Amino acid sequence: MNKNSFKTFLALIALTVFGAVQAAAQTAQQHQPGDKKASVQAGKKVQAHTNNEMSELQMSGMMSEPHHVLAMAYRENAARFAKALRDQAQQGSLSSDFARAAASEIGRSLDQADDHHREHVKTMSADMRLKMAAMLKEMDTRSSKLKDAFRALEKDVGEYTLNSKQIATDSDEILKRLEDMPKMHHPK
């Protein structure tokens, strides 16, 4: 393994560990009693978004459901890797090993987020799914656009010669798509 590949490998390990620690900290914060107010406020925002009458208790329960928490953590992880890739590409010192590893982790995280989102929806009652139907449909549309943005990135990092500007643009598009997801599913 050459010196640059080793540095890239260490940077990826550090990013992965940092992302995992950050996700664990966010999960722990969501389960602290002091965060109940924040959870209720987020529930109110989603309630206004869906134009349905859902109780704060229902929204709070949905936001703390384990699959939902994991889906949010995986989306955060995808955003962290997309930002790292964009930043490296903008600096112009983009190695193909780094770009492919970061893109792979973005894809894995997005897949995991989708899997946990689907499992989260399965935990909802039929009545809740009906109340959330418009929002779930909107999320599916946005998720499809996010997947399209990822496929463009995947194609560009698979090229023999990397185009740093295009990869930065692709990564930025993924970040914008993640930001565009309803706040209930991608908290700050």
Side-chain angles (χ1 to χ4, degrees):
M1 188 182 289
N2 69 30
K3 197 174 189 178
N4 285 336
S5 295
F6 184 70
K7 285 180 183 180
T8 302
F9 181 71
L10 285 178
L12 284 173
I13 289 174
L15 280 171
T16 302
V17 169
F18 178 73
V21 169
Q22 190 72 6
Q26 285 178 347
T27 302
Q29 280 181 340
Q30 289 176 346
H31 293 288
Q32 290 177 351
D35 268 349
K36 193 170 190 174
K37 183 179 178 183
S39 184
V40 169
Q41 287 174 343
K44 286 180 182 178
K45 288 179 184 176
V46 172
Q47 183 175 2
H49 180 73
T50 61
N51 293 324
N52 287 313
E53 304 249 347
M54 287 186 257
S55 74
E56 291 177 7
L57 183 60
Q58 285 174 314
M59 291 308 301
S60 179
M62 283 177 48
M63 304 241 345
S64 63
E65 194 275 327
H67 287 292
H68 174 77
V69 172
L70 286 172
M72 291 187 306
Y74 278 116
R75 285 209 172 114
E76 277 295 321
N77 194 50
R80 288 185 193 287
F81 276 91
K83 184 179 183 318
L85 181 56
R86 180 197 63 197
D87 293 350
Q88 284 291 307
Q90 286 174 340
Q91 291 175 9
S93 59
L94 188 62
S95 83
S96 59
D97 289 338
F98 181 90
R100 290 180 184 117
S104 175
E105 185 57 33
I106 293 166
R108 189 188 74 78
S109 294
L110 292 176
D111 288 344
Q112 288 293 315
D114 285 346
D115 290 348
H116 285 287
H117 171 70
R118 279 191 295 278
E119 291 301 316
H120 171 63
V121 171
K122 288 179 186 177
T123 68
M124 294 179 194
S125 67
D127 183 49
M128 183 61 72
R129 281 194 299 267
L130 185 61
K131 288 179 182 178
M132 303 271 308
M135 182 181 204
L136 292 171
K137 184 177 180 180
E138 179 183 340
M139 285 188 63
D140 286 344
T141 299
R142 291 178 181 195
S143 181
S144 177
K145 290 178 181 178
L146 176 60
K147 288 176 187 174
D148 289 344
F150 173 71
R151 281 191 284 274
L153 171 68
E154 197 172 38
K155 177 187 168 287
D156 289 334
V157 299
E159 297 290 328
Y160 181 74
T161 302
L162 298 182
N163 179 338
S164 292
K165 287 182 182 180
Q166 184 59 48
I167 290 171
T169 300
D170 293 342
S171 300
D172 202 41
E173 181 67 19
I174 289 170
L175 288 167
K176 287 177 187 173
R177 296 288 176 190
L178 285 166
E179 281 292 317
D180 195 34
M181 298 301 269
K183 297 301 180 214
M184 176 182 162
H185 295 273
H186 186 68
K188 289 288 164 199

